[in-house]
Amino acid sequence: MRTLSKIDNLVMQVDNVLKTLVPSAARSSAERPSPALSVADSELDDSERRHAAGLMRINHTGEVCAQALYQGQALTAKLPQVRSAMEHAAIEEIDHLVWCEDRLVELNSSTSVLNPVFYGLSYSMGALAGAIGDKWSLGFVAATEDQVCKHLEEHLETLPDQDLRSRAVLSQMHEDELKHGALALDAGGVQFPRWVKAVMTEMSKVMTKTTYRL
């Protein structure tokens, strides 16, 4: 395989940004069909539909952040196997990105206008973590996935009972995120101290509160 030039890498980075931020751009890259497709849709009143859409918007933005995080880490990761693992994880997260967007369309809603902001912040954090060291980069992945799983668990509890399509999507995402977090630790990631996780929790609250409506 030929070595990619700086121009090649730049083109790939731009392609990743467009796939993440442009509506429907990632659909052709998804490898698995949405779990919602096997579940019958149900009637939701306006309040239930708005709430379900708000939750799915949060999770879509979370997947935008995950894409940016993995792409930033892959840029600066020092070990080739770690860089490859980050790139593979980003590919798997594309499924989640597409599933959430599709469900938002079904709910007559849209993705967050703040996605570019959160993408930029997450990309910078991922690149910084990768530059500090691979074990910290992997530890950051594990801590992030832990935060995502907590959000998903909360959303599964507060979704309207009859919204089985959204529930199917979030349940599969939860299963995948648990796996990603465990793999990051098994690959040599360090467990972050409790205070760091507490700071990450407070930061994530900013994202969830803003993207629920925006």
Side-chain angles (χ1 to χ4, degrees):
M1 295 180 62
R2 72 183 183 90
T3 302
L4 296 179
S5 68
K6 291 183 178 179
I7 296 296
D8 292 329
N9 284 317
L10 177 60
V11 171
M12 290 177 63
Q13 290 293 322
V14 172
D15 182 61
N16 286 334
V17 173
L18 294 176
K19 283 182 179 179
T20 303
L21 295 179
V22 176
S24 303
R27 184 167 286 110
S28 62
S29 300
E31 296 184 348
R32 295 174 293 173
S34 172
L37 296 178
S38 61
V39 181
D41 207 352
S42 55
E43 289 294 327
L44 300 173
D45 62 32
D46 289 343
S47 176
E48 291 170 335
R49 186 175 295 276
R50 284 195 300 270
H51 179 57
L55 297 181
M56 296 308 294
R57 188 178 300 108
I58 290 171
N59 287 295
H60 180 271
T61 299
E63 295 307 318
V64 168
C65 293
Q67 285 291 309
L69 172 66
Y70 286 128
Q71 290 161 12
Q73 288 173 313
L75 181 70
T76 57
K78 296 174 176 59
L79 297 177
Q81 62 268 32
V82 173
R83 186 180 303 111
S84 177
M86 295 298 100
E87 291 169 346
H88 182 67
I91 291 172
E92 290 185 340
E93 297 283 358
I94 288 177
D95 291 346
H96 300 173
L97 191 75
V98 173
W99 298 347
C100 289
E101 183 180 342
D102 286 349
R103 185 56 184 151
L104 280 166
V105 171
E106 293 177 349
L107 292 167
N108 298 319
S109 192
S110 59
T111 58
S112 174
V113 298
L114 298 175
N115 281 345
V117 175
F118 288 113
Y119 181 95
L121 290 172
S122 298
Y123 189 94
S124 299
M125 293 172 67
L128 177 61
I132 291 174
D134 289 329
K135 67 177 183 178
W136 296 104
S137 179
L138 290 167
F140 190 57
V141 169
T144 300
E145 297 291 13
D146 183 57
Q147 294 290 326
V148 171
C149 285
K150 289 178 180 177
H151 285 154
L152 289 169
E153 289 162 6
E154 292 172 359
H155 294 176
L156 285 166
E157 289 182 2
T158 63
L159 268 176
D161 291 338
Q162 65 271 37
D163 188 2
L164 301 181
R165 288 173 75 86
S166 295
R167 191 172 300 278
V169 170
L170 298 188
S171 295
Q172 184 59 56
M173 287 173 59
H174 184 264
E175 181 179 327
D176 292 345
E177 306 295 8
L178 283 174
K179 188 188 306 179
H180 290 163
L183 287 173
L185 291 177
D186 290 343
V190 297
Q191 283 277 12
F192 278 18
R194 186 173 300 176
W195 70 268
V196 174
K197 292 184 178 181
V199 171
M200 293 176 67
T201 297
E202 293 304 312
M203 293 175 63
S204 70
K205 288 180 180 178
V206 176
M207 184 272 282
T208 58
K209 289 181 178 179
T210 55
T211 57
Y212 180 81
R213 299 187 184 281
L214 301 175

